[in-house]
Amino acid sequence: MAIYPGSFDPLTNGHLSIIQRGLQMFDGLVVAVAVNPNKTALFSVAERKQFIREAVMDPRVEVDDFEGLLVHYAKKRNVFVILRGLRAVSDFDFEFQMANMNRQLAPEIETVFMMTGEDYFYISSQLVREVARFGGNVKSMVPANVFAKLQSLFPKLRGGKE
Ligand code: PNS
């Protein structure tokens, strides 16, 4: 088993690709949405979990949320592998820092990185939110359920006026 943690605000096709590829390596995945009270999110934790559940629909995938340290959550769940996707070099610094901090905190937990597929390396939740807000077409970057919700939130994405 592995935990695939993240903000998932919202789920993108890049995340979905990591989940699908992760399932080829692990028997099951816990996709864990981080609850961060200091970060203003576009979608609630419940909405983010719902997007993942609807888009994945695989019995090997459990969708959960956690608050506090990831390593505490992993230990509580008895899962000792953390799965993360790596996009461009720009991801590396922070991911390297996090993986090492997590190892310092809990040496028994290993972080495994998967290189994001070439079709997805430019996609991030943050850019999807921004592009959608200003009416750019993000249809090919997110699952259909997320796109429908973004359309309902941002009139410019529907082709209308704000
Ligand atoms: O999708 P993101 O925003 O890149 O995910 C980052 C996440 C949620 C994995 C990271 O911020 C995290 O693990 N948060 C939980 C708090 C924690 O354990 N912080 C110390 C990490 S070194």
Side-chain angles (χ1 to χ4, degrees):
M1 286 289 289
I3 291 179
Y4 179 40
S7 306
F8 302 108
D9 184 36
L11 178 75
T12 68
N13 286 342
H15 295 131
L16 272 181
S17 159
I18 296 287
I19 293 171
Q20 273 142 18
R21 289 168 55 207
L23 284 172
Q24 294 175 350
M25 271 180 82
F26 300 100
D27 291 336
L29 291 178
V30 179
V31 181
V33 178
V35 180
N36 185 348
N38 301 321
K39 213 165 149 184
T40 344
L42 177 60
F43 295 107
S44 70
V45 171
E47 283 174 310
R48 286 180 264 163
K49 286 167 65 180
Q50 185 63 20
F51 289 145
I52 302 166
R53 274 202 201 98
E54 288 169 356
V56 176
M57 289 219 287
D58 188 306
R60 293 170 297 169
V61 175
E62 179 191 334
V63 183
D64 195 11
D65 61 76
F66 73 101
E67 204 167 345
L69 285 181
L70 174 58
V71 289
H72 287 168
Y73 172 73
K75 280 197 223 179
K76 196 180 83 186
R77 296 297 315 255
N78 259 311
V79 178
F80 297 95
V81 181
I82 294 168
L83 175 64
R84 293 284 288 170
L86 260 191
R87 287 166 303 197
V89 186
S90 51
D91 279 344
F92 182 81
D93 265 358
F94 184 55
E95 292 296 334
F96 187 62
Q97 211 180 343
M98 275 205 302
N100 281 291
M101 174 62 88
N102 284 335
R103 188 168 35 234
Q104 185 68 31
L105 296 169
E108 69 276 35
I109 297 176
E110 195 60 67
T111 305
V112 168
F113 292 99
M114 212 171 239
M115 296 303 297
T116 298
E118 61 202 33
D119 293 341
Y120 308 109
F121 77 95
Y122 65 95
I123 301 176
S124 70
S125 297
Q126 190 197 337
L127 282 182
V128 162
R129 293 196 301 271
E130 184 171 318
V131 171
R133 188 186 303 276
F134 295 116
N137 194 348
V138 292
K139 197 170 180 175
S140 62
M141 304 172 204
V142 292
N145 59 344
V146 172
F147 184 66
K149 187 71 188 194
L150 287 169
Q151 274 190 312
S152 74
L153 276 182
F154 301 124
K156 276 188 182 164
L157 192 54
R158 295 197 300 265
K161 288 199 179 76
E162 242 167 325

